[in-house]
Amino acid sequence: MATTASEVGQVQSNNKKSFTSVKALTESPKLTSLPPSYTYTTNSDDEIVTDPEEDDPIPVIDYSLLVAGTPDQRAKTIQDLGRACEEWGFFMLTNYLVSKSIMEKMVDEVFGFFNLREEEKQEYAGKDVMEPIRYGTSSNVSMDKVLFWRDFLKIVVHPEFHSPQKPPGFREALAEYSRRTWKLGKEVLRGISESLGLGVNYMEDRMNLDSGLQMIAANLYPPCPQPELAMGIPPHSDHGLLNLLMQNGVSGLQVLHNGKWINVSSTSNCLLAFVSDHLEVVSNGKYKSVVHRAVVSNKATRISLAIVIAPSLDTVVEPAKELLDSQNNPAAYIGMKHRDYLQLQSRNRLNGKSVLDNVKI
């Protein structure tokens, strides 16, 4: 007998959500087919899903050349970085300063959290987007017309560090991974600033990264009984400036490029970098935040760990004045505090760039 939508969750009066996680669903002997509430309809007849083409591969940026290359190597890397942000809004990072052991430890600890007893995880259940630790399922259960086949854990780690108390090694692994990816993200943003013709410290200074928001979003996609009918997370773009993603070796990410959904294989020797909404705003649309989604399978559990590098919550994000020209390149976006953008996002269903469209002029 299939689990019904009424079993998925209910809101309690203390503003916490009690819900049935996807992981709990998959462990139930009642689950023999996809619950109706998870049935996701796409215009599959109009979609093109493909692997990257040989003459248009996913861009690869060598981080070591950005930070330690010769002047000529660094200049070329910055040029390549700008082209990747403009043409794809997405690129792979190689030779970065986060060891494989640190990444594997972080994935192991995330698995450990999702394997805790449900009541232990539910201590962190909540619906306020500003909560520093938030465990949930789908995307926004109170608004989602269709539920998505994922559980998530979102943690704010900068400017103030937070962590669940369990499992025992989680806090230490998170602190180390957060510290290294924060440094990595800021260095990449320095290169992106230069590629736009802005000062190397533009993003750090104007976006107030000393008190900037860094958040980790851990996503669990368990095996799905009917993956062709479900979606892990629907097409969307991210808030913030940059999103750095690693995976556990199980593929499922697709990015939208030139009207086609491109399969992104899960490799252990690279981080995936996404141009996010606030970088599109700062660049006045020259660099586009990439729309992406996660599909699911019936074979293996997929884990993805996204690190969001974002302005401080009180920073008003607007197009860089240095890039504007009242006649040829007027401002295409209104300024909005990052805090207000997050609240706007929380009131919208995930649907492409529907949130960013609210700040377009």
Side-chain angles (χ1 to χ4, degrees):
M1 185 174 68
T3 305
T4 64
S6 63
E7 295 177 274
V8 172
Q10 58 188 11
V11 179
Q12 297 180 333
S13 60
N14 65 355
N15 203 36
K16 292 288 184 181
K17 274 190 180 301
S18 175
F19 58 85
T20 301
S21 68
V22 174
K23 185 175 185 295
L25 278 178
T26 61
E27 293 169 349
S28 169
K30 296 180 181 179
L31 186 73
T32 56
S33 61
L34 188 73
S37 54
Y38 287 89
T39 302
Y40 181 86
T41 304
T42 64
N43 297 320
S44 55
D45 292 342
D46 301 327
E47 285 189 354
I48 300 174
V49 179
T50 184
D51 293 329
E53 297 175 1
E54 286 188 16
D55 60 350
D56 189 19
I58 294 172
V60 178
I61 302 298
D62 186 331
Y63 178 78
S64 67
L65 299 181
L66 186 65
V67 297
T70 66
D72 286 348
Q73 288 174 326
R74 188 172 189 278
K76 183 180 185 305
T77 302
I78 288 171
Q79 186 180 39
D80 292 344
L81 189 56
R83 188 181 302 113
C85 291
E86 188 169 357
E87 296 179 359
W88 277 78
F90 176 74
F91 51 92
M92 294 182 175
L93 269 178
T94 61
N95 296 324
Y96 46 85
L97 303 177
V98 185
S99 71
K100 186 176 180 180
S101 62
I102 289 173
M103 296 174 72
E104 289 176 345
K105 174 66 172 171
M106 191 69 250
V107 170
D108 289 345
E109 293 299 332
V110 166
F111 263 120
F113 176 86
F114 285 119
N115 285 331
L116 293 173
R117 296 195 314 274
E118 201 62 37
E119 56 268 27
E120 292 179 287
K121 293 181 288 186
Q122 293 280 348
E123 292 177 19
Y124 301 105
K127 66 177 182 178
D128 189 340
V129 70
M130 304 309 294
E131 290 186 30
I133 305 176
R134 189 158 56 101
Y135 167 62
T137 194
S138 188
S139 172
N140 185 347
V141 171
S142 63
M143 295 190 64
D144 293 338
K145 291 182 177 179
V146 173
L147 297 175
F148 303 112
W149 199 257
R150 74 148 186 174
D151 298 330
F152 66 81
L153 174 65
K154 296 184 178 182
I155 310 168
V156 174
V157 293
H158 191 277
E160 185 177 347
F161 181 80
H162 301 270
S163 175
Q165 297 305 309
K166 297 178 182 179
F170 193 101
R171 185 181 187 90
E172 182 181 354
L174 179 62
E176 181 70 9
Y177 187 68
S178 301
R179 181 178 65 81
R180 290 177 180 267
T181 51
W182 182 245
K183 179 180 179 181
L184 173 68
K186 289 202 298 181
E187 285 291 348
V188 174
L189 285 172
R190 287 165 66 91
I192 289 174
S193 291
E194 286 193 73
S195 74
L196 284 167
L198 302 169
V200 66
N201 295 318
Y202 184 93
M203 296 292 175
E204 190 160 356
D205 294 342
R206 298 293 181 90
M207 297 295 103
N208 300 302
L209 292 186
D210 282 348
S211 54
L213 179 73
Q214 182 189 16
M215 183 179 71
I216 184 168
N219 302 299
L220 179 83
Y221 304 97
C224 179
Q226 293 174 289
E228 71 282 1
L229 300 179
M231 182 64 69
I233 193 164
H236 68 287
S237 59
D238 299 319
H239 76 93
L241 297 163
L242 203 62
N243 182 346
L244 302 175
L245 185 86
M246 73 163 165
Q247 305 172 89
N248 68 325
V250 179
S251 298
L253 173 67
Q254 296 176 341
V255 298
L256 190 61
H257 176 63
N258 291 338
K260 301 176 183 177
W261 286 108
I262 308 298
N263 293 314
V264 182
S265 61
S266 181
T267 56
S268 59
N269 63 343
C270 73
L271 279 171
L272 306 174
F274 300 74
V275 170
S276 300
D277 289 351
H278 286 133
L279 184 51
E280 177 170 331
V281 172
V282 171
S283 72
N284 202 40
K286 181 176 183 179
Y287 296 168
K288 303 292 188 184
S289 59
V290 65
V291 174
H292 52 287
R293 68 184 184 183
V295 296
V296 293
S297 79
N298 57 6
K299 295 181 175 64
T301 295
R302 176 173 177 254
I303 285 268
S304 71
L305 282 141
I307 286 280
V308 176
I309 310 290
S312 75
L313 289 175
D314 291 320
T315 295
V316 175
V317 183
E318 60 189 353
K321 292 180 173 58
E322 294 84 346
L323 301 178
L324 301 182
D325 179 315
S326 58
Q327 289 188 329
N328 299 316
N329 190 30
Y333 307 82
I334 61 172
M336 180 180 284
K337 276 188 178 182
H338 183 196
R339 183 188 308 275
D340 296 335
Y341 194 85
L342 281 175
Q343 294 290 356
L344 182 65
Q345 186 182 54
S346 72
R347 297 192 298 269
N348 279 261
R349 290 193 299 273
L350 286 183
N351 180 22
K353 291 191 174 185
S354 60
V355 182
L356 185 61
D357 288 343
N358 281 278
V359 299
K360 285 186 176 179
I361 296 175

